[in-house]
Amino acid sequence: MNTASDAPHRRPDGRLYDGLILGASLATLDCADGYGEIADAALAWRDGRIAWLGPRADLPGAPADLAETVIQAQGWITPGLIDCHTHLVFAGDRAREFELRLKGASYEEIARAGGGIVSSVRATRAADEAELLRQSLPRARALLGDGATSLEIKSGYGLDFDNERKMLRVARQVGDALGVQVRTTYLGAHALPPEYQGRADDYIDAVCEWMPRLHSEGLIDAVDAFCEGIGFSPPQTRRVFETARALGLPVKLHADQLSDLGGGALAAAFDGLSADHVEHTSLDSVKAMAAHGTVAVLLPGAFHVLRETKLPPLDAFREHGVAMAVATDCNPGTSPLLSLRQAMQLSCTHFRLTPEEALRGATVHAARALGLSDAGVLRVGARADFVQWDIGHPSELCYWLGGRLARRVVSAGRVLVDQTDR
């Protein structure tokens, strides 16, 4: 049983807790294997953190005497889901390109017609902060509605100082507006902007120059880059990471998605939080990631939309103990995915993860991929981030295709989504 060892001081009203939820089964995930089930459980929170959990029969008093708010629940409660890789702040969409690709247009043809990432950069640069926030909030609300309580949001569609800054500011505003935890990632090295064509090294100079200025404003939690033949080379990526390290910022990497450039090993060499995509990651990179604790972030949405066939080295990750996270990669071009639970389902379908692995990937391991030590599990002292699901077993989270299974979504003890009357 996982309960508090010392009872907290009582609130002014004489109660111990701000809230208490009773009756559902808990999947604590606070264990090496399995779901960490506690049947007919109770979970209490105070000041935004879990203060007690265990079997309801072991509660240290009558519920009404213990908490101001008492909720009777059924189904299962899991930790809040953590989407550790998104690009959800952008303007416009690329739905027309999706249609053109299905009609046979190549990426190059679309790009020559002004499409591709350049179109997202153009639209994002044209939108002011208020408009960018207006367009981004519905995407964030969709993720919350299906169980996400923490989000990572990247820049990377601005590609100049003012617009990268604007994107990071809007990402912070998303968290403030919705009451959800947001971690911001500076992805200036996402693509080469039109004004720097043929001058990639000069652009990397600029990306590195902007970084301390943005960091000084409190806008950067981590630094990312797109290390790929159509992105930036390993030496260019290394320069970005060296700048981040000098500022004390952790790094993560779009690694080995289309080819093996040793991205996994490069991220590991900088003690990277994560290497993301990793379809082409080599065994040497897997071993390097294992040695440095770098998480492999699986992005089945992009794999699905692009109809890829090259699987990540899943057995090697398992064999060498590399934690595997799961995320949506929500973006306008290759993964317009607005449900982390659907990403979990796709990871089971395409990558053959078990439902337990997928749930851990969207909680425990996703927290590691963001450097969060107090989220992704249900344990005393962790953030009171949890979801009450209308399910009979946690495997249903990956079984159902679509639908609304989340009854309540709670972040730091605050109910963000309540669908109990539906």
Side-chain angles (χ1 to χ4, degrees), residues 52-410:
W52 193 97
L53 61 83
R56 175 163 55 172
D58 293 345
L59 272 171
D65 296 332
L66 291 172
E68 177 183 19
T69 301
V70 178
I71 299 171
Q72 300 292 334
Q74 297 177 329
W76 280 76
I77 293 172
T78 72
L81 305 185
I82 299 170
D83 199 344
C84 64
H85 183 129
T86 86
H87 304 254
L88 72 80
V89 169
F90 59 85
D93 64 61
R94 282 148 64 185
R96 178 60 178 154
E97 293 177 26
F98 174 70
E99 185 175 31
L100 290 173
R101 283 201 305 271
L102 292 175
K103 290 181 176 179
S106 69
Y107 181 86
E108 290 76 15
E109 289 169 338
I110 291 171
R112 282 198 300 269
I117 191 172
V118 174
S119 66
S120 292
V121 172
R122 187 185 309 114
T124 300
R125 286 179 172 183
D128 62 18
E129 282 191 22
E131 176 60 19
L132 195 55
L133 178 64
R134 186 192 69 79
Q135 293 191 38
S136 301
L137 281 175
R139 294 187 281 269
R141 288 193 180 101
L143 292 170
L144 268 60
D146 215 13
T149 57
S150 296
L151 305 174
E152 185 255 19
I153 302 177
K154 303 178 190 294
S155 67
Y157 293 121
L159 306 186
D160 62 27
F161 177 79
D162 289 338
N163 286 291
E164 288 291 293
R165 180 176 182 266
K166 177 177 67 179
M167 289 188 69
L168 293 167
R169 284 171 54 89
V170 169
R172 291 282 193 233
Q173 292 168 30
V174 168
D176 293 341
L178 300 183
V180 67
Q181 181 170 217
V182 167
R183 305 292 285 183
T184 55
T185 298
Y186 173 50
L187 182 57
H190 189 198
L192 194 63
E195 61 269 26
Y196 277 89
Q197 286 304 314
R199 298 188 295 124
D201 285 333
D202 291 343
Y203 181 64
I204 291 298
D205 287 341
V207 168
C208 294
E209 178 187 341
W210 303 333
M211 195 187 307
R213 298 165 64 189
L214 295 169
H215 180 46
S216 70
E217 296 184 25
L219 293 176
I220 303 177
D221 295 319
V223 174
D224 196 351
F226 183 36
C227 184
E228 193 55 76
I230 62 172
F232 297 95
S233 69
Q236 290 165 342
T237 300
R238 183 176 290 273
R239 287 172 55 201
V240 174
F241 282 4
E242 287 170 348
T243 303
R245 182 164 58 186
L247 293 170
L249 288 167
V251 302
K252 52 213 292 107
L253 184 63
H254 283 64
D256 309 326
Q257 179 185 9
L258 305 174
S259 62
D260 180 16
L261 294 183
L266 176 57
F270 285 83
D271 294 316
L273 292 173
S274 68
D276 303 28
H277 287 290
V278 295
E279 282 92 336
H280 291 263
T281 294
S282 68
L283 181 58
D284 285 344
S285 285
V286 171
K287 292 178 178 178
M289 291 168 64
H292 290 266
T294 299
V295 176
V297 177
L298 308 180
L299 302 172
F303 186 93
H304 178 78
V305 170
L306 294 174
R307 292 183 286 184
E308 295 287 354
T309 58
K310 174 68 172 175
L311 293 171
L314 303 162
D315 289 339
F317 288 145
R318 292 185 181 105
E319 178 183 354
H320 293 279
V322 175
M324 293 183 287
V326 177
T328 63
D329 192 17
C330 173
N331 73 69
T334 61
S335 188
L337 179 55
L338 296 177
S339 166
L340 182 50
R341 189 175 64 77
Q342 185 66 64
M344 291 162 56
Q345 200 285 329
L346 290 172
S347 74
C348 293
T349 301
H350 289 307
F351 299 156
R352 303 297 192 269
L353 265 62
T354 67
E356 180 195 330
E357 286 179 318
L359 180 57
R360 285 182 176 275
T363 53
V364 180
H365 301 322
R368 283 186 54 188
L370 295 183
L372 301 175
S373 61
D374 62 348
V377 296
L378 301 179
R379 73 162 68 103
V380 170
R383 279 175 56 97
D385 294 352
F386 59 89
V387 185
Q388 177 197 347
W389 303 95
D390 188 15
I391 57 175
H393 189 269
S395 60
E396 290 188 47
L397 298 177
C398 297
Y399 167 73
W400 293 108
L401 289 163
R404 300 298 294 269
L405 303 183
R407 289 221 167 221
R408 285 188 182 86
V409 180
V410 178

